[in-house]
Every structure is written in structure tokens, then in C-alpha cells.
Amino acid sequence: MNRIFGVILLFLFLLSANPAEAGIFGKKNIDTDYVRDFDEVKIIAPIPEQFKSPDVPDVPQDDPLLEGNASASDGNIQQSEDVDVDEIDDELPENTDHMDQVDESDFKPKNTSPKRIFEIDNNIEAEFSLFDNFNADKNPEPKIDENTLLGKIIKRDIMRTDVPSYLLKPELTFRPQKGIISKVQYYAAFQGDLTSSFTNSDYDTSYDVGFFQIGAIGKFRGSKNDFKILFNPKPANGRTYMQNFIADAYIVNSSIPHHKIVVGYSRNQIGKEGGASSYILPFVTRSQIARNFGSTRALGVRIIGDYSLASYNLAFNSSDRYFHTPFAGPEFTGWVDFKPLGRTDGRYGNLVFGGGLNAGHNRTTYTVGSFYIGYKYKRLWTNFEYGIADGYNGTRVSTNKAQGFNYTIGYKVHPRLQLIARYDQFDPNRDVAHDTRREYTAGINYFIKGQAVRLILNYVFCNNQNSADSHRIIVGTQLLL
């Protein structure tokens, strides 16, 4: 038995011997640096007479060379693997792009010695070796396919900025063939703000999420009823998660010409800016009267009328905010706009002046009055707004007698670039002296894709009569999908 194993081991040893060591069997010696698998065999065509050189040996057509000038037809070399015919066929001259071109250099032997590859064991060398590949990049400049989603987004041009615009509106709009909904558009909105604050010698930097919302707007099949639903996934201080989760949830009926009837939970029109969408605000933050008196939503019924010379918004709501109680008390909110240039087709610009009233009861009786005037002509726009309150029901209920006003001006130096400035004054309690707060704001809006992709830069100087002055630099990004 031991002899049998010995014979087998000797046989395996002889089979595994290198070609240089197998000379005793009459095999040709081949340099081991040039031994290849058969998938690396190169076919060399016969050399034309005009290109023959005494330095290059004549090789028969049926005797292809292994790299290193070893003949594959040498009867002493045993092929132990099948040759990939398809791969070899791909290397034939008639299957290349240069089949009609004959270059003398193609028939001269080339140095095909393989480069030795050493593995990197040094962590620092491995880390910074990426720059070698980066700087040796031979790939052509990438081209964006306009048929892909990225190509469509880059090509999409959105210039209008007075209404919300959504970057993926075509891709996120669907028309179901069955069901009660005939059309629906899904969307998402995000605004993030990096704020640097200076108060005396104190300096602080923070990043705040202005809004992060997801929602849908749609139309019911076979009717003039639309709907909107909007959610706030971001938690808010002072409210439970579910109290802040629902932002909008209402149905709109358009059966009456020039009118819309809204039923549900929607934004309350307390002041002009207080009732405006967050997506089209010129500044990162609202004015002081807007963020104190308005910027709220209420559950109820509202009637919206729109004509060329006038429009109005009348609402009868619950005075509850953020679903604290089922019914905190009744509330009326009304706003009327007059448009004296409404029938001039914008030749002289757009002039609007109006006013409103918000009154109700929520643990206390409150009344807020507002006045607004605004003018827009081509790239220039400006407005003034005043508000006065005998108690108010904004993000919190207050019994203070407050008042404030602000003046804003903006100019588009380019369809995508807007310069803005605002003076904002607020007296939180008219019964208390020397507590006025003034804010001076200057800013830049860069509309990459309208309001869908916008960059915001604001500088705010806060001058407070009863506290230290402060400075704020705010960099904001807005994305509407």
C-alpha cells in the first residue's frame, strides 16, 4: 500500500513540475514570466512581404505565438485547457475598427511583460493612493441623459416665484383609472436654516428646520370637489406629536362661479402675511405681527370669492388651535382686498389694498384688526401692513393689547436673483412703556428652480428697548418636491 501511495505522489510531483524543470522529458524551456492562460493567447497574422524584417522571424500562419515568442504549435507543449474560440475571434484584424489600416508597428514584437502588482499594507498609503487613480482618470466627461429623472430635473426651468412650484410635479402626479379620485399629486417640502446669532459678546450657531412637510392634493372623480392633506412629521415644542402632525385637511368645492367653499382644517387669513403660504415668503421668518397674531390654522367653513376688482375670504371657525380642545369657542375671520388696477392687464402694475378682522373667544375674548397695501410693477414690489390687537389668538392666547407694522421692498435684478429689505416694528403691550421691538432685515433670494429650489440669505438686526440688541445671519435652503 505504501508503495502505491509513493508512486502516486511521484506522479503528482512530475505533473506539477515547472517547464524549466521538465527538460528531462524533452519539453522546450519557456520563461515562466511569459506563461499565460490560453485566454491570453494572441493570434499574429502572417507578415506581408513588404514588412518583413531580418530581425523578426517568419512565423507560419497556422502557428500562433505565445507571448514571449514561444510557439503554440510546438509539439512539446501540451495544451491542458480548451481555447475560447469566440474570444480569439474577437481579436482578429477583420473584427476590429482598423481592418482597412495596415501599420508596420502592428507586426513588430512588443514588450508584453506583465507589470508586477504589489498589495498595499500601509494604511496611510492606501488612504492617499486614491488621488493617483483620481488624477489618472482617462474617462471622458460624463453626459447627462435627458431621458432620465436627473436629466429631466436639470432641464426643467421654473421661473415663476409668486406661487408654490414643485420640482417633481409631473413625476408625482397620477391619474387613477378607477376609484373616487381622478387625479392626485404628492409632494414634499423642506426648509433648513443655519443661524449665527450675536448678542453683545455672546455668539451662537444653530441649525433649525423651518418646515418639513409631506402631503397630497387631488380631485374627486365626476365632481367639482378637490382636497388637500398635509402632514408635519417634525415635532414641535409645547404640543404633542399628533397635535402638530396635521397641517392641512380640507375639501374645496368650486360649483359656484368665482367662488370656493372650503370645509375642514385650513390656514386662517389673519393679516395678509399671516395667511400666506410658508413656501412663498420672501424672508426666512415672518414679520412680528404675522408670527404673533396670525400664522395659524383653524377647523371650520370658509367662503372665498375672487373677482377682477375685489376678492374676499370669510371664515367661521372653532377658536381652537392645534386640536387642544374639541370646541374652544366661536371665531370669525374676514378679509377683503380691493384691486383698482385689476382690469388694466398689468400695464400699470398691480395695486392691492385691503383689511381684515379676526374676533372670537378662547378662554378670553380677542379682536385683531389689520390693514394692508401693496404694489408690484415688473421687477419691483413693495408693501406695508399694520395690525392692532385687543387680545389675540395666535400660536398662543394672549390678553395683551399689542400693535405693529412693517414695510417691505424687493427688486429682482435678475429673474433668478432678488434683493429684499424690511423694517419691522412691534409693541407687544401698549400698556407697558419702552418695550418696542424693531427688526431691520436685508436679504437675497436666489431662485434656482423658482420656489422649488431656493437659496436664502438674511441679515437681521434686532433693536429692543428693554433687552440687549442682537444680530443674526441666516442661511436658508428650500426644496419643494
Side-chain angles (χ1 to χ4, degrees), residues 271-282:
K272 193 69 171 180
E273 186 180 354
S277 169
S278 301
Y279 303 164
I280 60 173
L281 295 177

Side-chain angles (χ1 to χ4, degrees), residues 75-93:
N76 295 328
I77 297 179
Q78 304 296 324
Q79 297 183 0
S80 59
E81 298 182 14
D82 294 333
V83 178
D84 189 344
V85 180
D86 293 336
E87 183 172 346
I88 292 177
D89 186 71
D90 291 340
E91 297 289 339
L92 294 176

Side-chain angles (χ1 to χ4, degrees), residues 7 52 101 122 161 165 173 192 208 217 221 238 241 243 337 339 341 352 354 406 468:
V7 172
K52 284 189 177 182
Q101 302 176 9
N122 188 303
T161 60
S165 51
T173 300
D208 302 314
I217 56 177
R221 191 182 305 277
Y241 188 80
Q243 285 175 339
D337 276 332
K339 299 174 281 187
L341 302 179
V352 177
N406 60 83

Side-chain angles (χ1 to χ4, degrees), residues 120 123-138:
I120 297 176
N123 291 334
I124 296 178
E125 186 178 355
E127 170 67 20
F128 294 100
S129 64
L130 59 91
F131 292 101
D132 297 334
N133 295 330
F134 176 78
N135 294 325
D137 185 11
K138 298 180 181 179

